[in-house]
Amino acid sequence: MTRPGLLAAAALAVLPAIAVAGELELLMFEQPGCIYCAAWNAEVAPEYPLTAEGKAAPLRRLQLRDPLPEGLELVAPPVFTPTFVLAEGGVEAGRIEGYPGEDFFWPMLALLIGKAERN
């Protein structure tokens, strides 16, 4: 099933129209050879910046083994790739560990963004 799919359509109902630019960002922790990162790159990455989620939380890619950027506060260091961390003002607001496929990724992300926007 392609985006938005049935689950994503339901989850998008809780997503605010557009977040204020710069407040949220989606960090993707990846590493070379990660087959799940490659699947996300093929299935989601091309359309991500065009979606409501991509506009609300622009993507920033980080390598799993690199030091964290200065000013970024995570609940715990990422262990698996890909790990998607929703950051609000540089502070972790939620995460998705692994890539469950696009049918599950979109609604999971929409729920994280919706929760962050309500707080």
Side-chain angles (χ1 to χ4, degrees):
M1 182 178 288
T2 59
R3 193 199 175 276
L6 296 176
L7 292 174
L12 285 174
V14 301
L15 183 66
I18 297 277
V20 176
E23 285 187 9
L24 295 176
E25 111 181 292
L26 183 65
L27 309 173
M28 178 183 179
F29 289 90
E30 56 189 335
Q31 64 183 340
C34 170
I35 61 171
Y36 298 104
C37 299
W40 189 88
N41 285 326
E43 297 171 2
V44 176
E47 64 193 47
Y48 184 79
L50 307 174
T51 65
E53 296 90 344
K55 289 177 175 60
L59 180 68
R60 179 165 42 148
R61 294 172 180 269
L62 301 168
Q63 291 297 309
L64 180 68
R65 306 280 183 235
D66 287 352
L68 290 177
E70 196 169 316
L72 180 61
E73 296 178 34
L74 300 181
V75 172
V79 177
F80 306 103
T81 56
T83 294
F84 300 92
V85 174
L86 183 67
E88 183 172 17
V91 178
E92 181 174 339
R95 74 171 55 192
I96 300 168
E97 292 182 314
Y99 174 57
E102 68 178 316
D103 289 342
F104 293 98
F105 175 80
W106 291 112
M108 292 170 73
L109 180 58
L111 290 173
L112 285 179
I113 292 172
K115 181 180 175 187
E117 287 298 314
R118 285 190 301 274
N119 290 334

